[in-house]
Amino acid sequence: AVLGTLIGATPGSTTLVPLRSPSGSATEKPVKHTAADRRRSRFPNVPLCTHENQEVRFYDDLIKDKTVLINFMYTECQGSCPLTTANLAQVQQALGERVGRDIFMYSISVDPEHDTPAALRKYAERFEAQPGWLFLTGTQANIAQIRAGFGDTPTLEAGQSNHLNVIRLGIEPLERWAACPTWSTPKTIIRYLSWIEPNGPRPDGVNLRIMRN
């Protein structure tokens, strides 16, 4: 509702005059949104399918109350995707039992028309992905919503996606989100994740010098 209007708009002198509600209309009350509402509104809760052919909801099943590591890829990519996936396989190995227990890894296809669950399963096996790391596909419309939610332009072709070179890291219940380049070393990716963890180290000059080495 419009609460007021400016009159007397001379330089340095304006007055805000309240506007009355139309006769008979109820006074509008502000809508209160909880932290849970805000967190849920950040991501679409669309259905997806895993490389294990299981249907999941993006927010409820994959994101809510979890620490996550997310990248976008497609199986026919001949450029950065295989290198990124191989890199993430090393990340999973380094994190060990934490993956699937308190850290969850998701690789989301930007080419769902061709990346069926069977195609993703074959791709996951190629890189020896272990439990706790899911490869995901869905309808074009649902994938587009997720891409848009992460700042990508869903109308771009798969090979032109803005996010093929970015890994997203997040601690959803704390609403902490970060990103790092896919070409980062496995040690650096894990360090980025530790920086947003509640009891993790914080970046300083020493950390940054190590990352450049």
Side-chain angles (χ1 to χ4, degrees):
V2 177
L3 301 179
T5 186
L6 291 173
I7 63 172
T10 58
S13 176
T14 59
T15 304
L16 182 65
V17 178
L19 296 180
R20 294 182 179 181
S21 300
S23 178
S25 65
T27 302
E28 293 185 9
K29 296 181 179 180
V31 178
K32 293 183 179 180
H33 295 287
T34 66
D37 292 333
R38 183 177 63 247
R39 287 162 50 194
R40 176 175 289 274
S41 67
R42 181 183 177 95
F43 300 103
N45 195 32
V46 295
L48 298 175
C49 192
T50 74
H51 70 282
E52 299 167 338
N53 206 29
Q54 298 293 316
E55 183 174 300
V56 291
R57 287 278 175 174
F58 185 64
Y59 181 76
D60 285 345
D61 299 323
L62 303 181
I63 303 296
K64 184 180 179 182
D65 296 327
K66 291 181 174 64
T67 296
V68 297
L69 188 157
I70 300 171
N71 77 295
F72 291 85
M73 45 69 68
Y74 63 108
T75 60
E76 294 185 357
C77 172
Q78 301 300 315
S80 62
C81 300
L83 297 175
T84 298
T85 307
N87 213 20
L88 291 175
Q90 294 182 58
V91 170
Q92 182 177 40
Q93 184 177 16
L95 289 171
E97 294 181 355
R98 294 190 67 192
V99 179
R101 184 187 66 196
D102 51 25
I103 297 172
F104 298 85
M105 298 173 60
Y106 305 128
S107 294
I108 303 172
S109 172
V110 295
D111 187 17
E113 183 177 344
H114 297 99
D115 286 342
T116 62
L120 290 178
R121 182 170 63 252
K122 183 177 180 180
Y123 194 80
E125 291 172 350
R126 173 184 168 190
F127 291 95
E128 300 181 351
Q130 301 301 307
W133 183 4
L134 294 176
F135 290 75
L136 299 152
T137 189
T139 66
Q140 194 80 38
N142 288 345
I143 294 294
Q145 286 190 58
I146 294 172
R147 289 175 64 181
F150 281 96
D152 195 6
T153 305
T155 54
L156 292 175
E157 296 294 329
Q160 298 176 321
S161 169
N162 300 332
H163 281 340
L164 292 181
N165 297 317
V166 177
I167 297 171
R168 293 283 184 165
L169 310 133
I171 303 178
E172 193 276 337
L174 298 181
E175 300 182 83
R176 292 183 181 178
W177 294 91
C180 68
T182 55
W183 43 258
S184 303
T185 66
K187 182 181 293 186
T188 297
I189 294 170
I190 293 171
R191 186 176 291 117
Y192 268 98
L193 181 60
S194 73
W195 285 347
I196 63 173
E197 291 181 315
N199 299 317
R202 295 297 177 258
D204 56 30
V206 175
N207 295 138
L208 296 175
R209 284 196 296 273
I210 293 172
M211 288 171 61
R212 287 195 292 265
N213 294 332

